[in-house]
Amino acid sequence: MTVPLVLASASPARLGLLRQAGLDPQVIVSGVDEDALSAPTPAELALVLAEAKATAVAATLTGPALVVGCDSVLELDGQALGKPADAEEALARWQAMRGRSGVLQTGHCVIDTRTGARAAATASTTVRFGTPSDQEIAAYVASGEPLHVAGAFTLDGRSAPFVDGIDGDPGNVIGLSLPLLRTLLLKLDVRITDLWT
């Protein structure tokens, strides 16, 4: 029997990555108040948030499922930066990031509701930001895109021309590391190929 896969995230980017990899998860948004949680480091915060999302959704299910929770934060100067609160914050963030590097931290947690077993880890990818002009940054912020994503940028959207490169897994920056997901599933005795649709 194939166990249903549940994505505990409203992120269309995460859903898209899973679908491109041959998976077709049901989406159940966790409703976790991300601002209410904290951790000593950005990498630990990403993991705490991912675990909270997966745990919240797993608690609502009655049947067997593999619940995947993820959360991303951008680490810059030791600070965890999530989605900007407004356009002003997005503008200031881009002015601070340009010409520098940050680390995109994505926490991953998989819970098997059949056994209660869980596997969790954080993936880290270094992002090298380009040097967009003030005019380009203003146009990007006006598009609205940076208000909906951790770190105020994406690799697969309008900000792609402003990212010079990355060191690590590109999927992790988009929202989910498929290699890490495969590893976590294996810890729960599930092969990712068994979940292909």
Side-chain angles (χ1 to χ4, degrees):
M1 173 184 112
T2 305
V3 187
L5 188 66
V6 174
L7 176 61
S9 171
S11 165
R14 287 189 186 108
L15 180 60
L17 284 167
L18 290 169
R19 285 184 172 158
Q20 289 166 21
L23 307 170
D24 189 24
Q26 177 187 0
V27 173
I28 301 176
V29 180
S30 70
V32 166
D33 179 5
E34 297 179 24
D35 296 330
L37 300 171
S38 63
T41 68
E44 290 170 288
L45 178 61
L47 190 58
V48 163
L49 290 167
E51 289 175 327
K53 289 179 174 183
T55 301
V57 169
T60 68
L61 302 175
T62 53
L66 292 164
V67 180
V68 178
C70 294
D71 202 89
S72 301
V73 297
L74 177 69
E75 182 175 347
L76 191 72
D77 296 327
Q79 299 296 310
L81 305 175
K83 296 173 188 166
D86 53 33
E88 276 182 55
E89 188 178 328
L91 195 66
R93 176 116 25 114
W94 263 97
Q95 289 168 341
M97 294 187 314
R98 68 177 159 196
R100 302 179 61 205
S101 291
V103 179
L104 204 290
Q105 307 279 8
T106 300
H108 297 64
C109 178
V110 183
I111 298 174
D112 186 338
T113 64
R114 297 172 299 179
T115 62
R118 65 176 58 210
T122 300
S124 306
T125 304
T126 299
V127 181
R128 298 187 308 278
F129 296 103
T131 53
S133 67
D134 285 345
Q135 185 179 13
E136 287 171 318
I137 292 172
Y140 178 54
V141 171
S143 78
E145 183 182 89
L147 300 179
H148 306 290
V149 289
F153 77 98
T154 65
L155 277 187
D156 58 346
R158 293 176 188 251
S159 60
F162 310 138
V163 176
D164 284 351
I166 63 164
D167 299 310
D169 177 5
N172 189 55
V173 180
I174 295 168
L176 187 144
S177 169
L178 289 163
L180 179 55
L181 176 62
R182 177 182 162 270
T183 299
L184 296 176
L185 286 167
L186 282 172
K187 288 182 179 180
L188 300 175
D189 295 319
V190 176
R191 289 188 302 271
I192 199 165
T193 52
D194 292 338
L195 301 175
W196 284 348
T197 55

